[in-house]
Every structure is written in C-alpha cells, then in structure tokens.
Amino acid sequence: MDIIFLEQVKVQTKLGVPEWERMMPQTIILDIEIGYDLTNACKSDAIAETIDYGAVVGRIRETLTEHSFQLVEALAEHVCQLILNEFGALSVKIKVAKPAILPGLKALGVVIQRNNKSN
C-alpha cells in the first residue's frame, strides 16, 4: 500500500469540552496519511488514478466549518470516516493537534488509524 500525506493542514473549527470554547472557531493542525494503491497513477500520470489531495483538504475544511466537536477524538474519527467513505481510501491515519491550548503546552491531541473494511 502506498501513502499520500498531508502535513500541517491548518483548519478552523469549533472544538472543546466547555461550551465557551466552542463559541469561536479555533485553529487545529492535522497530519494525515492516506493509504491508497498508487500503481496506476504512477504509470498514467493521471489525477483520476489517485486521490485529489486538494479535494480532500477542501472537503475537510467544509465539514469542520459545519460541525462542532467536544473531543479531538470525535473530530479525528469524523475526518477518518469522511476520507474512507468519500474518497475510497484503503486506510487513514490522522493526528489532530490543538496548539497552545494550555499554558506551557505546545499542543495536545490524538493520533488514530482506521482501515476501510470494504477493501
């Protein structure tokens, strides 16, 4: 399996356990690895043979603007399922980071990995 990676994707969303934290959008940072068979794309040099990473980023930004989450875990699962279901990925690994949310803390977050059960 091959990997398409999207590193340090900055996205605005409403995220946090306290209600006040979800009042205003905040920046989160995503690192995403998408498992896909790139054999045909390597041979054809055609976008139709791969996952359009611009479309992935656009769709993530769209859905995170529309939704609010209490937990980074729920946000990570939402993005994984979106990539698996809408883009036909074989697997997705995502790191979600909330930067500088607590004093003296660079970031907090989660890393999860999911596989497409239909492939």
Side-chain angles (χ1 to χ4, degrees):
M1 179 175 9
D2 305 304
I3 302 291
I4 298 167
F5 72 91
L6 307 168
E7 191 171 286
Q8 298 281 309
V9 179
K10 294 181 180 173
V11 181
Q12 292 284 311
T13 194
K14 294 179 180 176
L15 175 66
V17 173
E19 189 175 332
W20 63 263
E21 198 174 0
R22 293 187 312 278
M23 299 290 278
M24 297 289 296
Q26 57 188 286
T27 300
I28 61 166
I29 301 170
L30 307 175
D31 289 333
I32 305 167
E33 294 182 9
I34 302 169
Y36 199 75
D37 182 353
L38 298 174
T39 305
N40 292 336
C42 292
K43 293 175 185 175
S44 69
D45 196 26
I47 190 71
E49 300 289 348
T50 186
I51 294 177
D52 181 341
Y53 55 83
V56 172
V57 172
R59 185 66 181 100
I60 290 169
R61 287 191 169 129
E62 177 185 35
T63 192
L64 294 185
T65 299
E66 296 169 353
H67 291 85
S68 170
F69 301 90
Q70 290 187 39
L71 302 176
V72 291
E73 293 88 343
L75 184 149
E77 183 68 29
H78 179 82
V79 173
C80 278
Q81 293 306 316
L82 180 144
I83 295 169
L84 290 170
N85 295 323
E86 293 187 21
F87 294 94
L90 301 175
S91 67
V92 178
K93 180 178 179 181
I94 184 166
K95 174 183 175 184
V96 178
K98 280 178 75 171
I101 195 67
L102 296 172
L105 183 69
K106 183 177 178 180
L108 65 84
V110 298
V111 177
I112 68 170
Q113 185 167 346
R114 300 292 182 261
N115 296 312
N116 193 330
K117 292 179 181 22
S118 67
N119 289 328

